[in-house]
Amino acid sequence: DQQVKQNSPSLSVQEGRISILNCDYTNSMFDYFLWYKKYPAEGPTFLISISSIKDKNEDGRFTVFLNKSAKHLSLHIVPSQPGDSAVYFCAASAGSNYQLIWGAGTKLIIKP
Amino acid sequence: KAGVTQTPRYLIKTRGQQVTLSCSPISGHRSVSWYQQTPGQGLQFLFEYFSETQRNKGNFPGRFSGRQFSNSRSEMNVSTLELGDSALYLCASSLDTMNTEAFFGQGTRLTVV
């Protein structure tokens, strides 16, 4: 049973446009969410996080939105750049010292 | 400062053998977590060590074990290897709590034949 789902295995976006990556979760106990980016042959790199007390967190071009009632979060990248092409993982936990549960990832391709 | 170092980068083993993977965390980081990644799957949590103690454990069989040394370096061991153990094994280190910003190593690609 997948508690964290990223239903789009891949997404293609034009350079300069907005990229929206989605993530759904089933466990209502999750209260901390993170996004990681992964390039081939490298480990994941932390991008941005959000706790359940907030519904939005911004860091430069990256914004994460959390909709607790829908158990849904999304990552917005504006504007998209070629270097953003990577696999994006969302992860969730029920507390800072509980294991992270990861989605399967979405491969983002930015077209020139 | 140096990042998370995992050795070896690549490994080929035969079914039934055992393997030990190593992870050196960022200096000062006390939490080390291990993950398994297989194609099409997210990262599956194996276990987390903090100050030489296993603090969290995922749902993997007892063939998967680990330890952490006083310098925070960690090793994971897989005994009686199976073909399905072929995966990328990732190590992540963080300052104290497991789920604050964690820094990952490049991983060890294990192939079981």
Side-chain angles (χ1 to χ4, degrees), chain B residues 52-68:
Chain B
E52 302 179 66
T53 301
Q54 187 180 86
R55 188 162 65 172
N56 280 288
K57 189 177 188 307
N59 297 322
F60 277 79
R63 300 186 295 109
F64 292 80
S65 62
R67 59 178 175 167
Q68 187 180 34

Side-chain angles (χ1 to χ4, degrees), chain A residues 52-67:
Chain A
S52 58
I53 61 172
K54 302 174 85 172
D55 54 20
K56 178 182 172 182
N57 189 26
E58 281 182 87
D59 184 2
R61 297 186 298 115
F62 301 91
T63 303
V64 57
F65 294 92
L66 175 61
N67 182 332

Side-chain angles (χ1 to χ4, degrees), chain B residues 71-113:
Chain B
N71 62 359
S72 292
R73 191 177 72 84
S74 178
E75 289 180 346
M76 69 163 276
N77 185 277
V78 189
S79 62
T80 321
L81 283 165
E82 300 176 359
L83 294 179
D85 296 333
S86 295
L88 179 68
Y89 290 87
L90 290 159
C91 161
S93 83
S94 57
L95 204 53
D96 42 33
T97 61
M98 182 169 61
N99 297 330
T100 51
E101 182 181 343
F103 295 83
F104 281 81
Q106 290 181 290
T108 294
R109 172 75 61 188
L110 172 65
T111 302
V112 182
V113 298

Side-chain angles (χ1 to χ4, degrees), chain A:
Chain A
D1 175 36
Q2 280 189 292
Q3 296 186 64
V4 177
K5 296 178 187 177
Q6 293 179 256
N7 291 317
S8 299
S10 67
L11 176 68
S12 189
V13 174
Q14 204 74 35
E15 181 180 355
R17 305 293 290 269
I18 182 171
S19 295
I20 300 176
L21 297 109
N22 294 304
C23 180
D24 296 293
Y25 62 96
T26 57
N27 189 340
S28 57
M29 297 299 290
F30 287 153
D31 63 359
Y32 187 61
F33 306 87
L34 305 93
W35 284 93
Y36 278 80
K37 177 169 77 171
K38 185 180 186 297
Y39 294 119
E42 293 184 15
T45 304
F46 172 78
L47 259 182
I48 192 168
S49 64
I50 188 166
S51 76
S52 58
I53 61 172
K54 302 174 85 172
D55 54 20
K56 178 182 172 182
N57 189 26
E58 281 182 87
D59 184 2
R61 297 186 298 115
F62 301 91
T63 303
V64 57
F65 294 92
L66 175 61
N67 182 332
K68 290 186 288 292
S69 61
K71 294 192 180 70
H72 176 84
L73 66 156
S74 60
L75 174 69
H76 293 211
I77 306 173
V78 185
S80 300
Q81 298 175 353
D84 296 331
S85 294
V87 177
Y88 289 78
F89 291 96
C90 73
S93 75
S96 62
N97 270 325
Y98 288 86
Q99 62 169 292
L100 279 173
I101 307 297
W102 295 71
T106 296
K107 183 175 183 178
L108 176 64
I109 300 162
I110 306 300
K111 299 179 293 186

